[in-house]
Amino acid sequence: MRAMQVTELGQPMKLRDIPTPDPQPGQVLVKVHTCGLNFGDLLIIKGTYQEKPQLPFTLGMELCGTVVAVGEGVTAVATGQRVAAYCGFDALADYAAIPADVCVPVPDQMSDEDAAAFLIAYGTSHVALDYKAHLKAGERLLVLGASGGVGLTAVELGKLMGAEVIAVARGDDKLQVAKAAGADHLINSDSADIREVVKSLGGADVVYDPIGGDQFKAALRACNPEARLIPLGFASGEVPQIPANHLLVKNLTVIGFYWGGYTRVNPKVLTDSFETLITWYVAGKIKPHVSNVLPLEQANEALDLLKTRKATGKVVVRIAG
């Protein structure tokens, strides 16, 4: 089968022919239709992600496909079933052998592109805002990186949950994408003083931050008393150091959050979240924003759209059918 593999850290992936895997006990073999790309994929190629697989390896954290074989002991997933899955690796290939318990049934009305763009972005934002930050209707939510894969879903879900949403992104074009997702206020990070604008709007009660660096520092200083901050990524390249005295004076809470970790420590958090999110999708309340769909042969170009921040929402690679 074809697989887009990392053979050397820091270098472009190579399209290689490798053996089709057999599903092991507890696994299913999925014929991959589409793969959703994520910022974490860029970190994996650089060797700076939390998980460091042995070279060579196949990239691709999430997929949509059809189950073509099941391993020993698998009863909850059947051959012929269309599923989405957060698998961590192996999705940029014709087939992927993945744990059955990470598979989520895909409703008929959800396209392959939407399904591949759904789990990580919406799952991250929903668990962060609902389970971790306990966002309440009427609160003011500040979303940094609001036009990106996870940031855009935070805008959409925050609005759906009743918050007043402030979206921060680079450039007017990206801000218009955030506005279409439901943002009430727009801040251009290229030209505006984030702290001053947020304070003029009444301050932030919850901060959703996949960016880090100077934007986190500005957001911290724009928080209301008892605000909650969720640092969930550092796309700026700078991990901010948090002054404890600022937390003390305003009774602030900084919430550590790694969505993928729940697959090991408490998977029910994710399955409950997916159930809610898919119900909202079927009801027409949420819809993934996919800015680009490219074939497997152009997976390096697809990743470059993320790296250069030319994409909005999600980038999807189509593998089959």
Side-chain angles (χ1 to χ4, degrees), residues 2 32-35 91-95 294-296 317-321:
R2 300 173 305 159
V32 183
H33 302 163
T34 48
C35 169
L92 281 174
D94 289 322
Y95 295 90
L294 285 81
L296 181 63
V317 173
R318 173 160 282 282
I319 286 94

Side-chain angles (χ1 to χ4, degrees), residues 58-166:
T58 303
L59 208 66
M61 291 184 172
E62 62 182 329
L63 60 79
C64 172
T66 300
V67 176
V68 294
V70 299
E72 181 182 347
V74 174
T75 57
V77 184
T79 301
Q81 188 172 13
R82 195 163 63 109
V83 297
Y86 165 68
C87 48
F89 301 93
D90 297 330
L92 281 174
D94 289 322
Y95 295 90
I98 61 176
D101 58 10
V102 302
C103 294
V104 178
V106 175
D108 291 341
Q109 52 268 71
M110 183 179 283
S111 69
D112 290 342
E113 286 80 9
D114 281 0
F118 195 81
L119 295 186
I120 293 179
Y122 280 107
T124 296
S125 293
H126 184 245
V127 175
L129 296 177
D130 183 57
Y131 180 78
K132 297 291 285 186
H134 305 294
L135 178 68
K136 303 179 186 66
E139 289 191 311
R140 197 169 294 110
L141 169 65
L142 174 61
V143 180
L144 306 179
S147 67
V150 292
L152 197 59
T153 60
V155 170
E156 190 178 7
L157 293 179
K159 188 64 177 177
L160 183 60
M161 294 166 70
E164 179 183 346
V165 181
I166 306 171

Side-chain angles (χ1 to χ4, degrees), residues 15-72:
L15 187 61
R16 305 178 72 201
D17 287 321
I18 64 173
T20 301
D22 293 317
Q24 301 302 304
Q27 289 187 330
V28 296
L29 182 65
V30 176
K31 179 177 176 58
V32 183
H33 302 163
T34 48
C35 169
L37 299 184
N38 294 273
F39 188 79
D41 292 314
L42 296 173
L43 301 180
I44 292 171
I45 288 180
K46 290 170 60 179
T48 59
Y49 195 63
Q50 295 97 321
E51 300 176 42
K52 297 177 173 61
Q54 183 176 350
L55 293 169
F57 60 87
T58 303
L59 208 66
M61 291 184 172
E62 62 182 329
L63 60 79
C64 172
T66 300
V67 176
V68 294
V70 299
E72 181 182 347

Side-chain angles (χ1 to χ4, degrees), residues 299-321:
N300 283 309
E301 291 90 331
L303 274 177
D304 194 58
L305 291 171
L306 294 184
K307 184 177 181 179
T308 58
R309 293 176 169 80
K310 293 179 180 177
T312 55
K314 293 285 287 191
V315 175
V316 170
V317 173
R318 173 160 282 282
I319 286 94

